Amino acid sequence: MGGRATGAPANLRAVDWALARFKEAGVEARKEAFQMPGLWLERSASASVRGLGVDFAPRIAAMPFSTATPKGGLTAPLLDAGKGSEKDFQALGEKAKGAFLLVDQAELKDVDGLFREYAESAEVEQRAFAAGVAGVVYVGSRPNNLLYRHNVSVGLRNTRPMVVMERDGALRAQRLLRAGKTLTLTAELDLQIGPAYESYNVIGEIRGSTRPDEVVVVGAHLDSWDLGTGALDNGANVVALIDVARQMKRLGLKPARTLRFALWNGEEQGMYGSAGYVKAHEAELDKHVMATSFDIGCGRINGFFTGGRPELPPLVDQALEPVKGLGPFTQVDAPIVGTDNFDFMMHGVPNLVANQEPALYGPNYHARSDELDKCDPQQLRLNTAIAGALAYGFAQMDAKLPRQSRAQVEALVHSTDLGQQMKSFNMYEDWATGKRGRKGGTTAGPETR
Ligand SMILES: [Zn+2]
């Protein structure tokens, strides 16, 4: 299929492909439409760095939600902004206005580094926009000049060209600037940008035999970014879930509750597919027993993030009992933002995210190198068994946690770092303005049911 950015033809082919795989396996499947707020795809991106005796063309990637440049590119002074700290911006002062700022970044090693990168760049961008920059140029955080995509923190509200520059070229420009050279950057970004449009989730369903109105959602996102082919993020988990459904059919398993295998779209742009599902199925959410997301590559599943609900980890332990030989499993009871559990969490539905050993996930994240050779097929099979046990366990168990009220979700936002995470991922405003998340009073009170 290739890279499957939402809105691209390859993504639509992936939707048809996934539907066909479910149907081949005898699993009832449908596509469900949802609204993407805008189209953003890169056609091409190029750059030139110039100064007295300097002329080179480092490779760049446009950041999703970057604006395009005029034909022939946009030229502006290129300034060294250090790491983009408050102090760095004070030192730049008025010069930042109308300039491209080259922002240094540490080399990315692992998933912790990735979360740090997201948090830091959100702050850097706030300062840069306030300073009236022409655009931000990140020193690529990956070795070997690997290019990758990294969303602009303000999403569709962004009004500037924003790019990631291959590491060695960017560090060369940085050295020249630090040696006192005056440089300009010409960035030419040819983008396909458009208004809101319809995209599709693919939902495979095995209807519950005794409690069909109660639903367990097992999800992974079908879309990817387009530089690589999105194997770690997230094709591997998509095929794992299709295989769970296929094996359940093959074995003739009849879960008590309804299992929905949700292949989300529009995840990379802001989890829009799962947001659309939650909106469309709002009336059924009290009957959603659990929603889990698999989205951290191909490394061993070593437990689940349980979202800050102490009652949930014991239920996960119980579900994983049949595969405990593939453990140990440790549940981390903290809320996680960055994948498709988000809107379920904000609607109070018990939600999980598979916690996976980093393996090769971090360095290849959203990068040209995110290809199938980074996945160990044996580990992928074992992870599939774990996903199967979890899904079946929640479909069978007697326990059912109630949906949290708006007040309870708010308490979670305020008592953990959830609010901060939401800001890093450009999710806070939609929540605060009521575009996303459960509606209802803001005062704490007993559950209504
Ligand atoms: Zn992902």
Side-chain angles (χ1 to χ4, degrees):
M1 222 58 67
R4 305 171 294 285
T6 307
N11 184 281
L12 290 173
R13 288 202 301 276
V15 167
D16 291 338
W17 176 89
L19 275 171
R21 295 292 83 73
F22 278 128
K23 287 182 179 165
E24 261 171 25
V27 177
E28 192 188 301
R30 58 185 179 269
K31 55 181 192 177
E32 294 189 1
F34 67 93
Q35 193 79 358
M36 284 293 287
L39 180 69
W40 188 97
L41 296 166
E42 181 193 287
R43 286 195 197 95
S44 69
S46 61
S48 310
V49 175
R50 294 194 184 93
L52 196 61
V54 177
D55 190 347
F56 66 103
R59 289 153 59 246
I60 58 170
M63 293 172 68
F65 307 116
S66 170
T67 56
T69 61
K71 244 190 166 16
L74 176 73
T75 302
L78 181 66
L79 302 180
D80 172 23
K83 289 199 170 294
S85 69
E86 198 68 63
K87 233 171 110 188
D88 292 322
F89 273 89
Q90 273 163 16
L92 282 169
E94 278 296 299
K95 281 185 298 183
K97 200 168 181 175
F100 277 119
L101 297 191
L102 183 63
V103 177
D104 201 4
Q105 291 200 109
E107 200 180 303
L108 183 88
K109 309 259 189 214
D110 51 27
V111 179
D112 286 346
L114 183 63
F115 274 81
R116 200 159 49 237
E117 199 175 293
Y118 269 113
E120 284 172 3
S121 54
E123 287 179 19
V124 169
E125 285 162 27
Q126 260 175 28
R127 294 181 193 116
F129 299 157
V133 302
V136 176
V137 180
Y138 285 103
V139 174
S141 63
R142 318 298 167 81
N144 304 318
N145 292 324
L146 197 53
L147 288 177
Y148 57 95
R149 301 228 187 265
H150 192 143
N151 284 358
V152 172
S153 63
V154 295
L156 282 164
R157 286 179 289 125
N158 175 57
T159 57
R160 294 170 169 82
M162 306 274 286
V163 303
V164 169
M165 185 180 283
E166 59 177 1
R167 186 165 184 85
D168 290 302
L171 291 178
R172 179 179 172 192
Q174 188 192 64
R175 273 195 309 279
L176 290 166
L177 290 168
R178 288 183 183 178
K181 279 274 181 193
T182 300
L183 300 179
T184 62
L185 174 74
T186 302
E188 184 163 12
L189 308 179
D190 182 7
L191 308 175
Q192 199 184 334
I193 289 177
Y197 64 99
E198 216 161 61
S199 175
Y200 307 95
N201 297 319
V202 176
I203 310 285
E205 181 163 312
I206 298 179
R207 210 169 147 70
S209 54
T210 55
R211 302 177 189 178
D213 56 334
E214 294 185 4
V215 179
V216 174
V217 175
V218 194
H221 67 86
L222 185 60
D223 66 308
S224 72
W225 280 121
D226 53 331
L227 293 166
T229 57
L232 291 161
D233 190 9
N234 194 20
N237 287 305
V238 164
V239 298
L241 296 191
I242 291 175
D243 200 36
V244 170
R246 179 160 54 198
Q247 302 302 345
M248 282 185 176
K249 270 286 170 199
R250 192 176 66 85
L251 295 167
L253 296 181
K254 295 197 168 18
R257 297 188 170 104
T258 293
L259 272 171
R260 281 188 189 151
F261 298 90
L263 309 183
W264 310 116
N265 240 322
E267 192 273 350
E268 297 295 358
Q269 291 79 358
M271 293 94 84
Y272 290 112
S274 47
Y277 172 95
V278 165
K279 217 171 166 183
H281 294 269
E282 196 162 1
E284 299 167 53
L285 290 183
D286 282 339
K287 301 266 175 131
H288 276 54
V289 171
M290 188 277 278
T292 185
S293 178
F294 294 85
D295 189 17
I296 317 185
C298 301
R300 186 178 82 84
I301 295 176
N302 56 24
F304 287 81
F305 292 103
T306 49
R309 285 193 79 161
E311 322 89 291
L312 195 47
L315 302 185
V316 177
D317 292 341
Q318 185 189 326
L320 295 179
E321 187 64 25
V323 290
K324 69 176 178 210
L326 302 179
F329 300 110
T330 308
Q331 316 329 331
V332 180
D333 195 27
I336 291 289
V337 181
T339 185
D340 294 297
N341 66 309
F342 177 73
D343 285 271
F344 292 97
M345 176 163 66
M346 302 320 279
H347 277 265
V349 175
N351 64 96
L352 304 174
V353 179
N355 191 5
Q356 297 182 245
E357 282 171 5
L360 297 169
Y361 185 76
N364 300 298
Y365 175 79
H366 290 183
R368 177 64 193 90
S369 54
D370 182 353
E371 297 278 351
L372 187 58
D373 61 330
K374 308 304 182 301
C375 289
D376 170 1
Q378 178 64 3
Q379 188 57 59
L380 188 51
R381 290 187 185 102
L382 300 177
N383 285 350
T384 305
I386 296 166
L390 184 89
Y392 194 68
F394 271 86
Q396 296 300 93
M397 67 176 62
D398 288 330
K400 176 186 179 303
L401 298 181
R403 186 149 81 103
Q404 291 176 316
S405 66
R406 166 92 190 183
Q408 286 170 317
V409 176
E410 273 183 10
L412 186 68
V413 172
H414 298 307
S415 65
T416 63
D417 70 344
L418 177 53
Q420 202 46 51
Q421 289 188 61
M422 286 157 73
K423 282 174 189 162
S424 293
F425 282 93
N426 188 35
M427 291 292 132
Y428 194 84
E429 208 174 278
D430 279 0
W431 151 256
T433 56
K435 263 201 201 154
R436 287 168 99 151
R438 185 166 191 181
K439 312 233 173 346
T442 53
T443 51
E447 288 276 54
T448 50
R449 67 178 87 194

